[in-house]
Amino acid sequence: MSTTYHAVHWNRQKRIYDGVILALALSALATFSALTVVLYPEATVETLIMRGTAFLALFLIQIVLCIGPLARLSPRFLPLLYNRRHLGVTIFLVASVHAAIAIIQHHVLGDTFPLISVFTSYAADIQKVFTDFSGIRNIPFEPFGALALVILYLMAVTSHDFWLRLLGASTWKLLHMLVYVAYGALLVHVSLGFLQSELSIVYPLFIYTGFFLVVILHLLASFRGRRDDASPAKPQPEDGFLDACAIDSVREGWGTAVRLGKRKVALYRSEGRIFALSGVCRHQGGPIGEGRLLDGCVTCPWHGWQYKPETGDSPPPFNEHIPTYPVELRAGRVFVNPVANPRGTVAEGVSVADTSASLEHGGTPREEFYIGYLKSAPPGIQVALNATGLFLLMACPLLMALAAAAQSGFDYGRFEFGSHYALEGVFYEAPVPALYIAPKSIEKGVPGQNILLCSPGKFGIPESWAKIDGQRVQIAGSLVYRDEIVMLEVADTAIPEVLSAPNAHERRPKTIELGPVNLVGELVDTKCFLGVMRPATGKVHRACAIRCLSGGIPPSILVKSGDHDTAILLTGPAGEALQYDVVLAGLQVRVAGTLYRENGFDYIRVESLHNYADEPRQVD
């Protein structure tokens, strides 16, 4: 408790708590990154950060959700509750890094504002779900992640007690119960996204085992709470007093929780007198009856808020208050009137002749009680805390290592970001923008090569470049390549200066027609598939592909044959730019048309293109 508000007022215990959280996060991310780099050296830094922070945030939120029921099941986990909000803020920070990198990679530098792109890229998929239940797997996963992040943000910024006082305990508690909504949204986010691209059984086991652990712990805590709250119906005496418990159940210095109808009441024995107070703390609704007396004050076991047993008021200079109730002793039992005393009443309690009640009742040790602001924890609790911290510091990196090892192989394309080359050749607008570089030696029959062209970010070559179609120019940029296909991301989108008209041997050879084709494959944007993004296919990349294709990046159909992937560019029926629905990006499509070959790439003059999932299926 504090009379003034501080941004964060660290004491020794908070520093230890935060130190463990920091060590946990750094060791987990370091383990995941190091093992991924060793096993998959082609992985990009962006993918390392996105995946590492995603796994860590999911692991941490499961820890947070386990602390509550564990503390209800065993008092030795109660100290973990004291600074649990620090862990919640950490989850938000980790999730924010994941979200920021994902938005930068998939939605920035396109033709739509990034935050709008997050929610609109798959609008057609959402509409389709209402008419075709089989399309549920195509429901966009990004909005669920955004919902979870917003909730985590609200919880992080309102975690200080200033907001608790401003909003009131009920509203504040309700707001922070949204952590369960955030967790559910994260599970949907992962299930509709990552789990559809990564097929290892490790990931669903990792994610859903944690989910079932959270559920089981909450059920066990609920059953215990129902058992503790259960009490036989008591006849209503004429004077209003209700039988609460036996005198021996109330031990000197410790609280005893009882339920009188729907009312939770805490009984305390202090210096040979028994007092009755509300069993609900004004701070966060903590169980007052499970606390103890410290410095003559009833102390809540959750966060250490204190109240005088005679008045229910917090000690000066605080002004919190919980109700007190009249108490009587009858035939060795404690009776309580559930009608609260008026505030300001100094309750005398009821005197108990035998003040030597043991602090250990029924063989259960009760001397161990610890609140985070105390200088040191009792030995038993300290051992439990040390064991818990050590377990987490070992388990989290091990789970992150398992997650890293289970990843499928990354694509092998390459993007020489930051390295610029100046290339001279003939610019051709069709069938796709490309720079044809003629062979240096005609006599040896060495073929020239077409270098595909694109602009920085998620854009194709500007239409204004049509003015230099068929002219010899010099273009500078960074290379992107995979197998035999090469692309140049131009450094400047201004129309290049024409060097000269091409000589005869510098002109592109005649296109070779290979014949009609009818193929099924994934619709991808050529730039990312070649190496700008790895992995560059699948649902997790769909939003990026949609933005790239809508910005003019040439589309391709990715056809898989065994372990080999072949990307074939797509054009219109006459070799012009293809007109199609970019929302098909990342989906299986059927393409029919005529296949052609240029030096450096193949392309299809498309006569029909549609979603493969829309084709009727034969029923055997």
Side-chain angles (χ1 to χ4, degrees):
M1 299 176 69
S2 174
T3 56
T4 58
Y5 294 113
H6 305 269
V8 177
H9 187 64
W10 270 283
N11 57 20
R12 178 176 179 273
Q13 301 306 325
K14 278 185 170 63
R15 288 192 288 269
I16 294 174
Y17 200 103
D18 291 350
V20 172
I21 293 174
L22 181 61
L24 184 71
L26 293 179
S27 62
L29 292 175
T31 301
F32 180 86
S33 300
L35 190 56
T36 301
V37 169
V38 170
L39 297 176
Y40 311 102
E42 65 276 11
T44 61
V45 174
E46 299 85 359
T47 302
L48 282 177
I49 297 175
M50 278 192 291
R51 292 189 175 183
T53 51
F55 286 125
L56 179 59
L58 193 57
F59 186 80
L60 291 179
I61 197 171
Q62 289 174 336
I63 292 177
V64 163
L65 294 177
C66 286
I67 288 176
L70 283 174
R72 301 300 297 150
L73 293 170
S74 172
R76 291 189 172 180
F77 289 103
L78 276 170
L80 297 178
L81 278 171
Y82 188 72
N83 294 310
R84 184 172 55 167
R85 286 178 280 183
H86 291 215
L87 190 54
V89 173
T90 302
I91 295 171
F92 166 69
L93 294 176
V94 172
S96 296
V97 173
H98 168 78
I101 297 298
I103 291 174
I104 291 172
Q105 281 290 92
H106 296 136
H107 299 276
V108 169
L109 301 177
D111 59 356
T112 304
F113 184 70
L115 293 182
I116 295 177
S117 175
V118 169
F119 296 100
T120 62
S121 294
Y122 308 136
D125 290 339
I126 298 176
Q127 296 172 3
K128 188 175 179 180
V129 170
F130 294 101
T131 58
D132 180 11
F133 185 76
S134 64
I136 193 169
R137 66 186 304 272
N138 291 329
I139 293 178
F141 61 93
E142 288 92 342
F144 293 97
L147 172 62
L149 187 64
V150 168
I151 293 174
L152 292 173
Y153 167 75
L154 291 175
M155 293 176 59
V157 298
T158 60
S159 61
H160 198 274
D161 276 347
F162 168 81
W163 293 100
L164 176 63
R165 176 68 61 83
L166 182 66
L167 298 174
S170 322
T171 303
W172 188 91
K173 190 72 174 179
L174 180 63
L175 174 63
H176 283 248
M177 288 293 286
L178 290 176
V179 66
Y180 294 99
V181 177
Y183 181 50
L186 283 178
L187 292 179
V188 176
H189 175 71
V190 174
S191 299
L192 292 177
F194 184 77
L195 291 186
Q196 291 196 30
S197 297
E198 293 286 329
L199 303 180
S200 172
I201 190 64
V202 168
Y203 297 117
L205 285 176
F206 171 81
I207 294 167
Y208 297 119
T209 298
F211 168 73
F212 285 117
L213 176 62
V214 169
V215 171
I216 290 170
L217 286 176
H218 277 75
L219 289 175
L220 290 175
S222 176
F223 291 150
R224 174 165 181 173
R226 288 175 181 271
R227 183 195 66 191
D228 293 343
D229 289 343
S231 57
K234 301 178 177 68
Q236 183 74 26
E238 294 181 0
D239 57 4
F241 280 81
L242 299 177
D243 187 352
C245 64
I247 294 176
D248 291 343
S249 298
V250 187
R251 294 168 293 284
E252 181 71 25
W254 291 91
T256 298
V258 298
R259 179 178 284 274
L260 302 178
K262 294 183 179 180
R263 193 181 304 278
K264 293 182 179 179
V265 175
L267 300 177
Y268 275 86
R269 182 186 292 196
S270 174
E271 297 181 352
R273 304 189 71 81
I274 293 179
F275 299 88
L277 306 91
S278 170
V280 180
C281 181
R282 293 286 295 172
H283 182 216
Q284 292 184 28
I288 293 292
E290 296 177 18
R292 66 161 294 180
L293 290 170
L294 289 178
D295 301 322
C297 293
V298 170
T299 304
C300 178
W302 280 11
H303 300 96
W305 281 44
Q306 294 184 312
Y307 309 91
K308 291 288 185 180
E310 303 88 355
T311 62
D313 293 330
S314 294
F318 307 104
N319 59 8
E320 282 75 25
H321 171 80
I322 58 174
T324 62
Y325 304 97
V327 185
E328 290 187 0
L329 298 183
R330 300 177 183 178
R333 299 189 67 81
V334 180
F335 280 71
V336 177
N337 190 328
V339 178
N341 294 318
R343 183 168 183 176
T345 301
V346 179
E348 297 182 358
V350 61
S351 179
V352 182
D354 181 11
T355 61
S356 61
S358 173
L359 297 184
E360 295 189 12
H361 184 73
T364 303
R366 295 294 303 273
E367 71 275 4
E368 293 194 343
F369 184 85
Y370 175 65
I371 296 297
Y373 57 70
L374 298 177
K375 291 183 178 181
S376 60
I381 288 180
Q382 190 63 59
V383 169
L385 291 177
N386 293 342
T388 302
L390 182 62
F391 171 78
L392 292 176
L393 287 172
M394 294 176 60
C396 190
L398 286 175
L399 289 174
M400 293 291 278
L402 186 61
Q407 297 174 99
S408 58
F410 289 75
D411 280 351
Y412 51 87
R414 184 175 177 81
F415 178 32
E416 297 187 356
F417 179 76
S419 299
H420 280 194
Y421 300 88
L423 304 178
E424 292 186 7
V426 181
F427 171 74
Y428 289 99
E429 183 186 21
V432 291
L435 184 71
Y436 177 70
I437 301 177
K440 294 182 178 180
S441 174
I442 303 176
E443 292 77 12
K444 294 182 179 179
V446 178
Q449 185 177 17
N450 285 288
I451 308 294
L452 303 177
L453 299 175
C454 69
S455 298
K458 296 173 171 57
F459 292 98
I461 292 300
E463 293 180 359
S464 58
W465 284 36
K467 298 178 181 178
I468 60 170
D469 187 33
Q471 300 297 310
R472 188 170 176 272
V473 297
Q474 183 183 77
I475 304 176
S478 302
L479 291 176
V480 188
Y481 47 89
R482 177 173 178 167
D483 297 331
E484 296 83 16
I485 306 178
V486 182
M487 176 177 277
L488 184 74
E489 181 187 84
V490 301
D492 187 357
T493 57
I495 301 175
E497 182 181 353
V498 175
L499 300 178
S500 65
N503 297 319
H505 75 279
E506 293 177 319
R507 296 186 181 278
R508 175 190 283 173
K510 185 178 180 181
T511 301
I512 302 173
E513 181 178 339
L514 300 179
V517 292
N518 191 315
L519 302 174
V520 174
E522 181 183 337
L523 184 67
V524 299
D525 72 279
T526 308
K527 180 179 181 180
C528 284
F529 171 77
L530 292 181
V532 173
M533 297 272 286
R534 298 192 299 270
T537 62
K539 188 172 181 181
V540 294
H541 186 260
R542 280 196 68 201
C544 180
I546 289 173
R547 295 278 70 86
C548 286
L549 295 177
S550 64
I553 301 293
S556 297
I557 181 172
L558 174 62
V559 181
K560 297 186 177 183
S561 177
D563 296 332
H564 184 68
D565 297 342
T566 302
I568 306 173
L569 281 87
L570 305 175
T571 72
E576 77 282 10
L578 180 65
Q579 301 298 315
Y580 64 105
D581 188 353
V582 296
V583 80
L584 294 174
L587 302 180
Q588 291 292 304
V589 297
R590 182 182 291 278
V591 172
T594 305
L595 179 64
Y596 291 85
R597 172 161 295 166
E598 296 280 2
N599 286 340
F601 66 91
D602 293 341
Y603 72 96
I604 300 173
R605 292 189 178 185
V606 177
E607 297 172 5
S608 68
L609 184 155
H610 60 266
N611 190 342
Y612 181 65
D614 292 339
E615 294 185 0
R617 298 289 187 267
Q618 267 191 328
V619 180
D620 295 333

PDB file of all heavy atoms in Angstrom, residues 371-391:
ATOM      1  N   ILE A 371       4.329 -11.445   1.987  1.00  0.00           N
ATOM      2  CA  ILE A 371       3.854 -10.410   1.080  1.00  0.00           C
ATOM      3  C   ILE A 371       5.074  -9.780   0.433  1.00  0.00           C
ATOM      4  O   ILE A 371       6.120  -9.626   1.070  1.00  0.00           O
ATOM      5  CB  ILE A 371       3.043  -9.341   1.851  1.00  0.00           C
ATOM      6  CG1 ILE A 371       1.789  -9.977   2.446  1.00  0.00           C
ATOM      7  CG2 ILE A 371       2.657  -8.206   0.934  1.00  0.00           C
ATOM      8  CD1 ILE A 371       0.822 -10.525   1.413  1.00  0.00           C
ATOM      9  N   GLY A 372       4.931  -9.374  -0.804  1.00  0.00           N
ATOM     10  CA  GLY A 372       6.083  -8.926  -1.588  1.00  0.00           C
ATOM     11  C   GLY A 372       6.867  -7.775  -1.006  1.00  0.00           C
ATOM     12  O   GLY A 372       8.034  -7.607  -1.327  1.00  0.00           O
ATOM     13  N   TYR A 373       6.242  -6.944  -0.147  1.00  0.00           N
ATOM     14  CA  TYR A 373       6.993  -5.819   0.387  1.00  0.00           C
ATOM     15  C   TYR A 373       7.831  -6.196   1.608  1.00  0.00           C
ATOM     16  O   TYR A 373       8.612  -5.387   2.096  1.00  0.00           O
ATOM     17  CB  TYR A 373       6.073  -4.642   0.716  1.00  0.00           C
ATOM     18  CG  TYR A 373       4.946  -4.932   1.680  1.00  0.00           C
ATOM     19  CD1 TYR A 373       5.197  -5.170   3.020  1.00  0.00           C
ATOM     20  CD2 TYR A 373       3.627  -4.927   1.244  1.00  0.00           C
ATOM     21  CE1 TYR A 373       4.173  -5.414   3.904  1.00  0.00           C
ATOM     22  CE2 TYR A 373       2.589  -5.172   2.131  1.00  0.00           C
ATOM     23  CZ  TYR A 373       2.863  -5.411   3.460  1.00  0.00           C
ATOM     24  OH  TYR A 373       1.841  -5.649   4.329  1.00  0.00           O
ATOM     25  N   LEU A 374       7.645  -7.426   2.128  1.00  0.00           N
ATOM     26  CA  LEU A 374       8.465  -7.861   3.261  1.00  0.00           C
ATOM     27  C   LEU A 374       9.896  -8.123   2.796  1.00  0.00           C
ATOM     28  O   LEU A 374      10.146  -8.447   1.635  1.00  0.00           O
ATOM     29  CB  LEU A 374       7.867  -9.119   3.888  1.00  0.00           C
ATOM     30  CG  LEU A 374       6.453  -8.957   4.471  1.00  0.00           C
ATOM     31  CD1 LEU A 374       5.951 -10.291   5.000  1.00  0.00           C
ATOM     32  CD2 LEU A 374       6.446  -7.910   5.575  1.00  0.00           C
ATOM     33  N   LYS A 375      10.839  -7.968   3.707  1.00  0.00           N
ATOM     34  CA  LYS A 375      12.249  -8.058   3.328  1.00  0.00           C
ATOM     35  C   LYS A 375      12.660  -9.461   2.907  1.00  0.00           C
ATOM     36  O   LYS A 375      13.500  -9.637   2.036  1.00  0.00           O
ATOM     37  CB  LYS A 375      13.123  -7.568   4.495  1.00  0.00           C
ATOM     38  CG  LYS A 375      12.996  -6.074   4.749  1.00  0.00           C
ATOM     39  CD  LYS A 375      13.940  -5.640   5.859  1.00  0.00           C
ATOM     40  CE  LYS A 375      13.837  -4.128   6.079  1.00  0.00           C
ATOM     41  NZ  LYS A 375      14.751  -3.663   7.145  1.00  0.00           N
ATOM     42  N   SER A 376      12.096 -10.481   3.539  1.00  0.00           N
ATOM     43  CA  SER A 376      12.487 -11.849   3.206  1.00  0.00           C
ATOM     44  C   SER A 376      11.302 -12.779   3.382  1.00  0.00           C
ATOM     45  O   SER A 376      10.380 -12.493   4.150  1.00  0.00           O
ATOM     46  CB  SER A 376      13.659 -12.312   4.085  1.00  0.00           C
ATOM     47  OG  SER A 376      13.290 -12.274   5.452  1.00  0.00           O
ATOM     48  N   ALA A 377      11.356 -13.880   2.677  1.00  0.00           N
ATOM     49  CA  ALA A 377      10.286 -14.876   2.733  1.00  0.00           C
ATOM     50  C   ALA A 377      10.662 -15.981   3.706  1.00  0.00           C
ATOM     51  O   ALA A 377      11.847 -16.280   3.888  1.00  0.00           O
ATOM     52  CB  ALA A 377      10.049 -15.455   1.346  1.00  0.00           C
ATOM     53  N   PRO A 378       9.676 -16.614   4.336  1.00  0.00           N
ATOM     54  CA  PRO A 378       9.954 -17.781   5.181  1.00  0.00           C
ATOM     55  C   PRO A 378      10.641 -18.866   4.368  1.00  0.00           C
ATOM     56  O   PRO A 378      10.491 -18.932   3.139  1.00  0.00           O
ATOM     57  CB  PRO A 378       8.563 -18.216   5.656  1.00  0.00           C
ATOM     58  CG  PRO A 378       7.718 -16.995   5.530  1.00  0.00           C
ATOM     59  CD  PRO A 378       8.247 -16.269   4.339  1.00  0.00           C
ATOM     60  N   PRO A 379      11.389 -19.751   5.040  1.00  0.00           N
ATOM     61  CA  PRO A 379      12.176 -20.763   4.311  1.00  0.00           C
ATOM     62  C   PRO A 379      11.367 -21.618   3.347  1.00  0.00           C
ATOM     63  O   PRO A 379      11.784 -21.837   2.216  1.00  0.00           O
ATOM     64  CB  PRO A 379      12.770 -21.613   5.445  1.00  0.00           C
ATOM     65  CG  PRO A 379      12.801 -20.708   6.626  1.00  0.00           C
ATOM     66  CD  PRO A 379      11.616 -19.811   6.496  1.00  0.00           C
ATOM     67  N   GLY A 380      10.199 -22.097   3.795  1.00  0.00           N
ATOM     68  CA  GLY A 380       9.413 -22.966   2.917  1.00  0.00           C
ATOM     69  C   GLY A 380       8.960 -22.263   1.656  1.00  0.00           C
ATOM     70  O   GLY A 380       9.036 -22.804   0.550  1.00  0.00           O
ATOM     71  N   ILE A 381       8.476 -21.032   1.817  1.00  0.00           N
ATOM     72  CA  ILE A 381       8.029 -20.269   0.656  1.00  0.00           C
ATOM     73  C   ILE A 381       9.209 -19.917  -0.234  1.00  0.00           C
ATOM     74  O   ILE A 381       9.119 -19.951  -1.464  1.00  0.00           O
ATOM     75  CB  ILE A 381       7.280 -19.004   1.112  1.00  0.00           C
ATOM     76  CG1 ILE A 381       5.909 -19.400   1.687  1.00  0.00           C
ATOM     77  CG2 ILE A 381       7.101 -18.021  -0.035  1.00  0.00           C
ATOM     78  CD1 ILE A 381       5.084 -18.234   2.157  1.00  0.00           C
ATOM     79  N   GLN A 382      10.347 -19.552   0.376  1.00  0.00           N
ATOM     80  CA  GLN A 382      11.526 -19.207  -0.422  1.00  0.00           C
ATOM     81  C   GLN A 382      11.993 -20.393  -1.256  1.00  0.00           C
ATOM     82  O   GLN A 382      12.368 -20.234  -2.428  1.00  0.00           O
ATOM     83  CB  GLN A 382      12.663 -18.743   0.497  1.00  0.00           C
ATOM     84  CG  GLN A 382      13.841 -18.128  -0.256  1.00  0.00           C
ATOM     85  CD  GLN A 382      13.454 -16.879  -1.002  1.00  0.00           C
ATOM     86  OE1 GLN A 382      12.980 -15.913  -0.412  1.00  0.00           O
ATOM     87  NE2 GLN A 382      13.639 -16.890  -2.315  1.00  0.00           N
ATOM     88  N   VAL A 383      11.958 -21.588  -0.670  1.00  0.00           N
ATOM     89  CA  VAL A 383      12.341 -22.790  -1.428  1.00  0.00           C
ATOM     90  C   VAL A 383      11.392 -22.995  -2.606  1.00  0.00           C
ATOM     91  O   VAL A 383      11.813 -23.297  -3.729  1.00  0.00           O
ATOM     92  CB  VAL A 383      12.342 -24.027  -0.507  1.00  0.00           C
ATOM     93  CG1 VAL A 383      12.472 -25.307  -1.330  1.00  0.00           C
ATOM     94  CG2 VAL A 383      13.487 -23.928   0.498  1.00  0.00           C
ATOM     95  N   ALA A 384      10.079 -22.808  -2.352  1.00  0.00           N
ATOM     96  CA  ALA A 384       9.098 -22.971  -3.432  1.00  0.00           C
ATOM     97  C   ALA A 384       9.306 -21.946  -4.537  1.00  0.00           C
ATOM     98  O   ALA A 384       9.231 -22.266  -5.735  1.00  0.00           O
ATOM     99  CB  ALA A 384       7.680 -22.866  -2.865  1.00  0.00           C
ATOM    100  N   LEU A 385       9.594 -20.694  -4.149  1.00  0.00           N
ATOM    101  CA  LEU A 385       9.833 -19.642  -5.151  1.00  0.00           C
ATOM    102  C   LEU A 385      11.090 -19.930  -5.953  1.00  0.00           C
ATOM    103  O   LEU A 385      11.122 -19.763  -7.181  1.00  0.00           O
ATOM    104  CB  LEU A 385       9.950 -18.287  -4.460  1.00  0.00           C
ATOM    105  CG  LEU A 385       8.673 -17.715  -3.841  1.00  0.00           C
ATOM    106  CD1 LEU A 385       8.969 -16.406  -3.137  1.00  0.00           C
ATOM    107  CD2 LEU A 385       7.605 -17.508  -4.901  1.00  0.00           C
ATOM    108  N   ASN A 386      12.154 -20.341  -5.266  1.00  0.00           N
ATOM    109  CA  ASN A 386      13.401 -20.663  -5.969  1.00  0.00           C
ATOM    110  C   ASN A 386      13.200 -21.812  -6.942  1.00  0.00           C
ATOM    111  O   ASN A 386      13.698 -21.780  -8.076  1.00  0.00           O
ATOM    112  CB  ASN A 386      14.503 -21.009  -4.967  1.00  0.00           C
ATOM    113  CG  ASN A 386      14.926 -19.815  -4.133  1.00  0.00           C
ATOM    114  OD1 ASN A 386      14.656 -18.668  -4.501  1.00  0.00           O
ATOM    115  ND2 ASN A 386      15.585 -20.069  -3.016  1.00  0.00           N
ATOM    116  N   ALA A 387      12.466 -22.827  -6.517  1.00  0.00           N
ATOM    117  CA  ALA A 387      12.226 -23.981  -7.378  1.00  0.00           C
ATOM    118  C   ALA A 387      11.390 -23.587  -8.594  1.00  0.00           C
ATOM    119  O   ALA A 387      11.659 -24.018  -9.721  1.00  0.00           O
ATOM    120  CB  ALA A 387      11.531 -25.092  -6.589  1.00  0.00           C
ATOM    121  N   THR A 388      10.375 -22.739  -8.361  1.00  0.00           N
ATOM    122  CA  THR A 388       9.526 -22.287  -9.475  1.00  0.00           C
ATOM    123  C   THR A 388      10.336 -21.472 -10.471  1.00  0.00           C
ATOM    124  O   THR A 388      10.239 -21.671 -11.682  1.00  0.00           O
ATOM    125  CB  THR A 388       8.352 -21.446  -8.946  1.00  0.00           C
ATOM    126  OG1 THR A 388       7.588 -22.222  -8.020  1.00  0.00           O
ATOM    127  CG2 THR A 388       7.455 -21.008 -10.087  1.00  0.00           C
ATOM    128  N   GLY A 389      11.132 -20.530  -9.969  1.00  0.00           N
ATOM    129  CA  GLY A 389      11.962 -19.715 -10.862  1.00  0.00           C
ATOM    130  C   GLY A 389      12.946 -20.547 -11.643  1.00  0.00           C
ATOM    131  O   GLY A 389      13.135 -20.347 -12.855  1.00  0.00           O
ATOM    132  N   LEU A 390      13.594 -21.506 -10.977  1.00  0.00           N
ATOM    133  CA  LEU A 390      14.557 -22.364 -11.657  1.00  0.00           C
ATOM    134  C   LEU A 390      13.875 -23.220 -12.713  1.00  0.00           C
ATOM    135  O   LEU A 390      14.395 -23.399 -13.824  1.00  0.00           O
ATOM    136  CB  LEU A 390      15.275 -23.251 -10.634  1.00  0.00           C
ATOM    137  CG  LEU A 390      16.369 -24.178 -11.184  1.00  0.00           C
ATOM    138  CD1 LEU A 390      17.481 -23.350 -11.817  1.00  0.00           C
ATOM    139  CD2 LEU A 390      16.927 -25.060 -10.070  1.00  0.00           C
ATOM    140  N   PHE A 391      12.687 -23.729 -12.369  1.00  0.00           N
ATOM    141  CA  PHE A 391      11.945 -24.543 -13.337  1.00  0.00           C
ATOM    142  C   PHE A 391      11.620 -23.736 -14.596  1.00  0.00           C
ATOM    143  O   PHE A 391      11.804 -24.212 -15.716  1.00  0.00           O
ATOM    144  CB  PHE A 391      10.660 -25.066 -12.695  1.00  0.00           C
ATOM    145  CG  PHE A 391       9.724 -25.728 -13.673  1.00  0.00           C
ATOM    146  CD1 PHE A 391       9.960 -27.019 -14.115  1.00  0.00           C
ATOM    147  CD2 PHE A 391       8.607 -25.046 -14.156  1.00  0.00           C
ATOM    148  CE1 PHE A 391       9.099 -27.628 -15.027  1.00  0.00           C
ATOM    149  CE2 PHE A 391       7.745 -25.643 -15.059  1.00  0.00           C
ATOM    150  CZ  PHE A 391       7.997 -26.939 -15.498  1.00  0.00           C
TER     151      PHE A 391
END
